[in-house]
Amino acid sequence: MIEVKNLTKRYGQHFAVNDVSFTVSDGEILGFLGPNGAGKTTTMNIITGYIAATEGDVIINGADIQAEPEKAKANIGYLPDAPPVYGDMRVDEYLNFVADIKKVKSSERARMISDIKETVKISDISKRLIKHLSKGYRQRVGLAQAMMGYPEVIIMDEPTVGLDPKQIIEMRDVIKKLGKKHTVILSSHILPEVSVVCDRVMIISKGKIVASDTPERLSSNLTHGHKMSVRAKGDAGRIVSVAQDYPIIKSVKVDASREPGTVDLIMTGDEDVDIREAIFNCMAKNNIPILQMKSLDLTLEEIFLQITSSEGGGE
Amino acid sequence: MTAIIKKELRGYFNSWIGYVFLFIFVGLVGVFFSLINLQNQYPGFQDSMSNITIFYLVLIPVLTMRLFAEEARQKTDQLLFTSPVTVMSIVVGKFLSALCLSVIGMAITVLFPIIISRYGTLPYAQIITSYLGYILLTACFISVGMFISVLTDNQIIAAVVTFFTMILFLILDAIASALTSGPAATAMGSMVFLSVIIAMIAFFVYDSTKNYYVAGISALVLIGVATATYLIDATLYDGLIGKVIRWLSIMSRFTNFSSGIINVSDIVYYITFAIVFVYFTINVIEKRRWR
């Protein structure tokens, strides 16, 4: 259980984190979503006790991170954006050192290390020097570090950045597995990523929480199907004129022609109006085959614009 | 703390640094041992050892440059400072590990006096006090080097700054004698010097307490004491700068040890010196985290 109350971090006149409060209950996977510089890393660094807040409290399982740092830190495992690994150590050596400073009992150590290595799939590289490992393996060693001592809370800063697609999927599986036993906070600037693994998403912008909800509700609030990308077969001029004459479709723009004989168009309707059926009906009536149609994923910036303008700055 | 010591010592020997340090240190003592002791059939091993201090210019930076700078560069400090261990045990652990490596070096050089003892009479007392002096001197230098290492995330910068600081320590005696005469030695010059020191103390008090009143009051009290002393007996201030610098000089105290003299004030001085810089190091880290 993590309680964050009125957290503020100020550098001079600049607010990196501005009056942020939230709680994370046991076993929850919470995702911080936000562009670079939104304050995600700063918030995580404060929760883990790496840097101090200018104002506000962080309480982890009843222990205040400032008043009782050792007690609070004993409940946290942290994987920062760069995995904190020593290049000139071997994987086993490193994990033993981590077990040492995390005060793992020597009777449990050997089993814990081998279990964790099994979970993050690094058993086969135990004897390798960390500096010779690829980014993906280093990230896993970093994650093994965060899991050492089985802390109740595991905090991960952009855990999938720099991994290849297969590793990203594996990393997500590991995170989901962790969520069964631990409270997890992770950050990302990619919307689909957090929506896959998180129970709850908090969107942070300019140091403030602008939205906090389940991923499903967030995205259903945000994608209305009012802006579609359509690939249709036929002459661009004719398609545009036909579409423009159709009542519900408000604007049509030619995007590009990516396949010979076809044209890609962006069609927009009024906000809150689903134009998918309209597009289908319009094209079908004029005998224009639709080869592909997809809702345009809102970029994070657009989500921010929407949330901040419609909810007046959120909480 | 033992976890940190173990990790640091292993770090020294996982990289080339530990071996290079031991090789150079033992090698240099060996060179002076053969030049001074073997060539001249002279048993005074402490004289060979005292020639090593000049090489501390290079040896100490090698030992201390990576202590914190490398952690900051690799971002592994995030692991250390988010672990359930106190900053003090991290700093003291690192300090002890560097000291431990240099003591290992010294332990190897014990072979040389043992060789001498087979063929002649050793000046035991001087050699033992020399070793004691060496350990204390190294502790002081390591604490300074460690403090410099915590200020940067670049090993090279840490090494270069430590190198020049070492030079400063080595020439402090010369500076002191230059300042015991001339305009700097007058009472007025000393007053200026004192005010600078008081300003520094006041700043330090403010820095640790974050309280303007405490800092201001302590500065006023010190100025009052200084002025009063000046009014009562101005001659006390003659050559004060030289006296203070000489008192600060690490090296001049070391000569006592190599001549076989154990002076309690010297030992206390060295230990205090090392503790002060260890404390500074802890403070730098704590402040970075709690502001």
Side-chain angles (χ1 to χ4, degrees):
Chain A
M1 170 94 169
I2 306 169
E3 290 171 81
V4 174
K5 291 179 202 153
N6 307 97
L7 205 65
T8 298
K9 177 74 181 176
R10 204 174 56 226
Y11 294 105
Q13 288 304 306
H14 169 73
F15 284 89
V17 177
N18 192 352
D19 198 20
V20 164
S21 304
F22 59 91
T23 56
V24 191
S25 38
D26 289 336
E28 191 178 14
I29 304 183
L30 173 70
F32 285 172
L33 186 65
N36 297 325
K40 299 179 304 242
T41 303
T42 311
T43 310
M44 292 191 157
N45 279 340
I46 293 171
I47 296 175
T48 53
Y50 180 61
I51 55 173
T54 316
E55 274 164 53
D57 298 309
V58 175
I59 292 155
I60 293 159
N61 280 350
D64 188 306
I65 192 79
Q66 296 225 24
E68 306 170 284
E70 278 83 49
K71 205 173 149 198
K73 286 174 188 174
N75 290 318
I76 307 179
Y78 184 30
L79 172 61
D81 49 356
V85 292
Y86 294 96
D88 52 9
M89 280 191 185
R90 288 171 201 288
V91 173
D92 270 352
E93 235 177 311
Y94 175 70
L95 294 178
N96 268 302
F97 165 65
V98 174
D100 260 342
I101 57 167
K102 300 220 167 157
K103 300 182 177 153
V104 175
K105 284 195 203 105
S106 51
S107 53
E108 299 166 9
R109 171 176 312 180
R111 257 203 69 191
M112 188 181 289
I113 290 179
S114 73
D115 283 355
I116 289 174
K117 283 197 295 190
E118 204 60 50
T119 314
V120 300
K121 298 192 183 127
I122 52 171
S123 308
D124 49 334
I125 53 156
S126 305
K127 300 281 178 277
R128 298 261 302 268
L129 274 178
I130 294 178
K131 67 178 163 199
H132 294 151
L133 297 179
S134 67
K135 165 84 181 153
Y137 272 114
R138 256 180 232 217
Q139 192 77 10
R140 290 189 215 181
V141 175
L143 182 59
Q145 168 272 125
M147 290 166 66
M148 192 62 70
Y150 295 134
E152 290 179 40
V153 178
I154 292 182
I155 296 179
M156 291 178 268
D157 196 358
E158 311 221 328
T160 57
V161 165
L163 303 184
D164 67 34
K166 183 165 169 273
Q167 291 170 330
I168 290 180
I169 291 168
E170 284 176 357
M171 183 60 102
R172 282 179 193 162
D173 289 343
V174 173
I175 294 170
K176 275 187 202 158
K177 228 183 278 173
L178 285 180
K180 293 192 181 117
K181 286 187 207 151
H182 307 261
T183 307
V184 177
I185 301 182
L186 62 90
S187 75
S188 176
H189 54 261
I190 307 161
L191 180 61
E193 169 154 323
V194 283
S195 51
V196 171
V197 288
C198 297
D199 303 325
R200 185 155 64 101
V201 177
M202 252 170 50
I203 299 184
I204 302 179
S205 166
K206 294 186 184 136
K208 287 195 163 198
I209 301 174
V210 290
S212 171
D213 216 328
T214 62
E216 293 76 28
R217 272 197 280 178
L218 265 184
S219 44
S220 70
N221 285 345
L222 293 168
T223 48
H224 310 293
H226 79 284
K227 191 174 181 185
M228 307 295 299
S229 164
V230 179
R231 179 171 296 174
K233 198 169 170 184
D235 174 55
R238 183 171 161 254
I239 302 172
V240 170
S241 70
V242 164
Q244 263 166 351
D245 290 343
Y246 204 81
I248 299 169
I249 303 166
K250 292 294 173 202
S251 93
V252 182
K253 257 195 321 200
V254 178
D255 184 23
S257 174
R258 296 195 177 83
E259 233 179 275
T262 72
V263 61
D264 288 14
L265 306 127
I266 292 171
M267 303 191 186
T268 325
D270 276 332
E271 226 166 281
D272 304 332
V273 177
D274 192 339
I275 59 166
R276 283 173 292 186
E277 275 180 48
I279 294 173
F280 172 79
N281 290 335
C282 164
M283 294 295 137
K285 219 165 79 186
N286 293 287
N287 223 351
I288 300 168
I290 298 176
L291 303 180
Q292 198 181 62
M293 173 156 84
K294 63 176 182 194
S295 136
L296 276 184
D297 278 334
L298 289 177
T299 65
L300 207 50
E301 284 307 326
E302 285 171 315
I303 293 178
F304 280 121
L305 287 177
Q306 280 202 358
I307 289 176
T308 45
S309 55
S310 60
E311 291 180 13
E315 293 162 46
Chain B
M1 196 195 293
T2 46
I4 302 283
I5 298 179
K6 249 163 59 189
K7 178 222 136 204
E8 288 297 323
L9 278 179
R10 200 183 284 151
Y12 279 128
F13 291 107
N14 274 347
S15 62
W16 45 271
I17 289 177
Y19 297 102
V20 166
F21 174 82
L22 289 181
F23 182 79
I24 296 179
F25 182 79
V26 176
L28 284 172
V29 177
V31 167
F32 285 106
F33 169 71
S34 47
L35 285 180
I36 296 175
N37 300 116
L38 293 186
Q39 293 271 322
N40 303 326
Q41 305 195 330
Y42 167 67
F45 180 67
Q46 72 279 12
D47 292 345
S48 311
M49 283 182 72
S50 56
N51 281 304
I52 301 299
T53 41
I54 187 79
F55 296 102
Y56 268 29
L57 282 177
V58 183
L59 289 173
I60 294 294
V62 164
L63 215 53
T64 59
M65 61 182 184
R66 55 188 280 288
L67 284 178
F68 282 100
E70 186 63 5
E71 302 270 5
R73 192 188 64 79
Q74 290 191 317
K75 308 241 165 114
T76 42
D77 57 336
Q78 290 198 312
L79 166 62
L80 295 184
F81 300 141
T82 58
S83 298
V85 283
T86 58
V87 173
M88 190 172 108
S89 64
I90 294 170
V91 172
V92 174
K94 280 178 175 279
F95 168 76
L96 288 180
S97 70
L99 188 60
C100 192
L101 183 65
S102 52
V103 169
I104 293 174
M106 288 178 210
I108 300 174
T109 63
V110 171
L111 282 174
F112 297 124
I114 290 175
I115 293 172
I116 298 175
S117 72
R118 299 267 298 148
Y119 305 101
T121 326
L122 266 185
Y124 283 105
Q126 274 132 305
I127 291 177
I128 291 170
T129 53
S130 273
Y131 271 113
L132 176 66
Y134 249 103
I135 293 173
L136 290 170
L137 184 71
T138 316
C140 288
F141 284 156
I142 287 173
S143 67
V144 174
M146 179 172 73
F147 172 67
I148 294 169
S149 178
V150 85
L151 298 175
T152 171
D153 58 3
N154 185 325
Q155 286 195 63
I156 306 300
I157 292 177
V160 170
V161 175
T162 310
F163 175 77
F164 283 107
T165 313
M166 290 291 119
I167 290 185
L168 185 69
F169 278 125
L170 289 180
I171 63 171
L172 216 49
D173 273 332
I175 296 177
S177 20
L179 289 178
T180 31
S181 57
T186 62
M188 211 44 225
S190 304
M191 236 2 231
V192 174
F193 173 71
L194 261 187
S195 350
V196 173
I197 300 236
I198 290 173
M200 277 163 63
I201 293 174
F203 175 77
F204 184 69
V205 170
Y206 169 69
D207 202 48
S208 339
T209 60
K210 292 272 166 284
N211 188 329
Y212 284 112
Y213 293 109
V214 176
I217 289 168
S218 48
L220 282 179
V221 168
L222 286 172
I223 290 172
V225 171
T227 322
T229 326
Y230 184 79
L231 293 175
I232 293 163
D233 186 0
T235 54
L236 269 179
Y237 278 40
D238 287 339
L240 181 78
I241 307 179
K243 280 184 216 159
V244 170
I245 292 181
R246 185 155 296 151
W247 182 80
L248 277 176
S249 167
I250 297 189
M251 297 312 294
S252 65
R253 286 168 192 272
F254 182 67
T255 40
N256 282 346
F257 284 100
S258 49
S259 22
I261 302 165
I262 294 185
N263 196 331
V264 176
S265 79
D266 292 342
I267 296 179
V268 171
Y269 172 83
Y270 276 138
I271 293 176
T272 317
F273 188 99
I275 290 176
V276 164
F277 275 92
V278 168
Y279 172 75
F280 281 167
T281 311
I282 296 173
N283 228 25
V284 167
I285 297 170
E286 289 281 7
K287 228 169 50 201
R288 216 181 269 165
R289 299 172 55 225
W290 301 127
R291 185 185 284 175

